Amino acid sequence: MKSRSRNHQLYIKERELDYDESQFGEIKFRAQLSNPCLLEIYGFKRATAENRIQIYFETFDSDLERDIQKAITEKTVLPEEKLNNLLHCTLSALSYLQENNVVHGNITPSNILRVGATYKLHENSIIANSASLFQQ
């Protein structure tokens, strides 16, 4: 498991695995990717329930969808500094994924998470340009 700061809590997500376990290889591959603009995976393990896996992510404060809804409700706009950070981190994460032959499968505001003042891309599924990447 990767080390983390003492002040960070973990966000634990449990996923069902396909019977061919290709998702296990996908998660193992994704855990090896590291970029300051991707939500960090600290580790993963098989859950006690059959065909399930627990993934340990860094915790987050909010997501872009909630931040936009809050701005609409309060009749405000997102500050320019926050928008610049959002664009920089999203594009940086996508560029990094492309350099590693990975395509993000579902870019939505709910998959762009805020950790402190920094936005990070989270993915529920990634698609490698070569299926053999998952078997490394």
Side-chain angles (χ1 to χ4, degrees):
M1 210 178 270
K2 293 180 185 177
S3 64
R4 58 186 167 84
S5 165
R6 294 188 97 171
N7 297 331
H8 284 220
Q9 296 178 334
L10 294 176
Y11 159 58
I12 301 172
K13 181 175 184 175
E14 195 166 299
R15 277 180 50 178
E16 189 166 337
L17 293 172
D18 288 337
Y19 288 113
D20 65 5
E21 298 200 21
S22 63
Q23 289 180 334
F24 189 79
E26 175 186 317
I27 294 163
K28 185 177 177 181
F29 174 77
R30 167 54 184 94
Q32 295 171 3
L33 299 175
S34 180
N35 182 280
C37 294
L38 285 176
L39 195 67
E40 187 78 28
I41 293 179
Y42 293 118
F44 56 93
K45 71 175 187 173
R46 290 188 187 277
T48 53
E50 190 173 320
N51 294 323
R52 297 194 71 75
I53 186 169
Q54 290 180 338
I55 310 166
Y56 304 97
F57 292 96
E58 71 180 302
T59 192
F60 56 93
D61 301 309
S62 186
D63 62 40
L64 181 58
E65 186 172 11
R66 283 186 249 170
D67 287 353
I68 290 171
Q69 285 301 323
K70 182 179 176 187
I72 290 169
T73 301
E74 295 176 356
K75 297 184 187 315
T76 61
V77 296
L78 294 175
E80 184 178 346
E81 181 179 310
K82 199 178 255 192
L83 292 173
N84 284 337
N85 174 272
L86 165 68
L87 287 172
H88 169 77
C89 280
T90 303
L91 294 174
S92 174
L94 290 172
S95 176
Y96 174 79
L97 290 174
Q98 183 178 17
E99 289 168 7
N100 286 278
N101 296 317
V102 174
V103 176
H104 191 288
N106 186 24
I107 300 172
T108 64
S110 61
N111 284 336
I112 301 172
L113 307 177
R114 186 171 43 78
V115 178
T118 303
Y119 282 98
K120 296 186 176 198
L121 192 60
H122 172 58
E123 66 291 327
N124 291 319
S125 63
I126 59 172
I127 303 164
N129 289 341
S130 170
S132 64
L133 288 173
F134 294 150
Q135 295 160 6
Q136 294 179 346

